[in-house]
Amino acid sequence: GPVMDELPKESAPHLQRAARHDVVERRHALEQRHVLEGPGDPLPRYAMRLQVVDLSTGHVVGVPFDLQQDPTSERVANDLAISPDGTRLFVPLLHTAPHQNVIRVIDLAKLEQQLSSGVPVPGVMQKKSVAADNSQERSPVSVAVSPDGRLLYMVTDLDLDTEVRRVDTNTLTLIGSPIPVGQEANSIAITPDGAQAVVTNRADGTISIINTQNGAVTTVPVAAGPIDAGISPDGTKAYVL
């Protein structure tokens, strides 16, 4: 279960961090063993894969697409995001040696061509590495693309603290400085006009409202343990779960 549930509220921060790190490492060891030992179809059972489901037929298209995770040095992915124009899909994975986030950028037209034909298509996926904080222990926990498609927002987990990093989707390079948010942030949602991003912070019972123009953050207390947020179509309200 979530690490914070396993610790008494009066635990000192350094004890929380130590216990949380231990849980993350044990989880990673289990994931790695599953990837290396998992039997099954063309890919190991727990390999990182992407599947496409045709909603009109209710069927999976082709075979699972291998995201080429290195189980010895890459943590499993936690989220994905699609560009507003539907041409590209982004999946970031934390690489621990060296410490960086490796973003899989998938051309969706080429992916569907490959899955439909069963024949590998050149250029269906590229990998791009961007810097990661040495305290980051997991792949970005939540990602979102701005409505204009220019920026990829990644929520990255640093011990108990969390930050949001922005990636230019054209150059696939980091933009600006990381934006600190609350503790154990776990979701991000962007307003339709792209002016604000809302991040839920599970451990401290708050949401962070980010001004995407200048990076300023407003912290709003909410009920304990928020896990997700949705934005109203007119961008005036955030619905927090």
Side-chain angles (χ1 to χ4, degrees):
V3 177
M4 294 300 294
D5 290 344
E6 300 173 3
L7 300 171
K9 291 183 179 180
E10 64 271 19
S11 296
H14 72 279
L15 294 178
Q16 291 181 325
R17 289 188 177 92
R20 183 175 184 282
H21 179 74
D22 180 62
V23 171
V24 170
E25 288 302 313
R26 284 187 279 116
R27 180 183 301 152
H28 175 58
L30 180 62
E31 292 165 350
Q32 179 174 327
R33 188 173 76 247
H34 282 164
V35 170
L36 295 175
E37 298 178 359
D41 49 31
L43 296 176
R45 182 180 175 192
Y46 288 92
M48 282 277 90
R49 65 185 75 193
L50 178 69
Q51 293 182 275
V52 178
V53 178
D54 187 325
L55 298 182
S56 65
T57 64
H59 294 141
V60 175
V61 179
V63 298
F65 178 76
D66 185 7
L67 292 176
Q68 300 174 13
Q69 177 204 13
D70 181 349
T72 63
S73 61
E74 285 187 310
R75 301 296 169 93
V76 297
N78 291 308
D79 201 6
L80 55 78
I82 299 175
S83 61
D85 63 5
T87 61
R88 294 188 295 172
L89 183 146
F90 304 91
V91 186
L93 277 71
L94 174 65
H95 191 281
T96 57
H99 222 75
Q100 55 193 6
N101 286 304
V102 181
I103 304 171
R104 272 68 169 170
V105 184
I106 298 170
D107 184 308
L108 291 179
K110 291 181 178 181
L111 174 65
E112 292 193 19
Q113 179 185 347
Q114 176 170 311
L115 295 181
S116 299
S117 67
V119 178
V121 175
V124 65
M125 181 175 73
Q126 63 171 309
K127 298 180 184 180
K128 180 66 175 180
S129 298
V130 297
D133 190 285
N134 287 332
S135 298
Q136 184 179 334
E137 297 179 325
R138 295 183 288 173
S139 296
V141 294
S142 183
V143 295
V145 179
S146 60
D148 62 8
R150 292 182 53 252
L151 294 177
L152 173 69
Y153 291 82
M154 305 191 304
V155 179
T156 56
D157 200 359
L158 317 176
D159 287 335
L160 293 178
D161 297 321
T162 325
E163 63 186 18
V164 174
R165 294 191 171 219
R166 295 160 290 177
V167 177
D168 185 307
T169 57
N170 290 320
T171 62
L172 296 175
T173 55
L174 290 172
I175 288 183
S177 300
I179 302 173
V181 288
Q183 293 188 338
E184 291 202 359
N186 48 19
S187 75
I188 185 169
I190 302 173
T191 56
D193 62 2
Q196 295 176 304
V198 176
V199 178
T200 55
N201 306 308
R202 179 184 176 276
D204 54 14
T206 66
I207 63 170
S208 298
I209 304 173
I210 301 171
N211 180 320
T212 59
Q213 295 300 309
N214 58 23
V217 177
T218 301
T219 302
V220 179
V222 294
I227 60 172
D228 202 1
I231 307 295
S232 62
D234 63 4
T236 63
K237 294 182 178 64
Y239 296 86
V240 180
L241 178 64

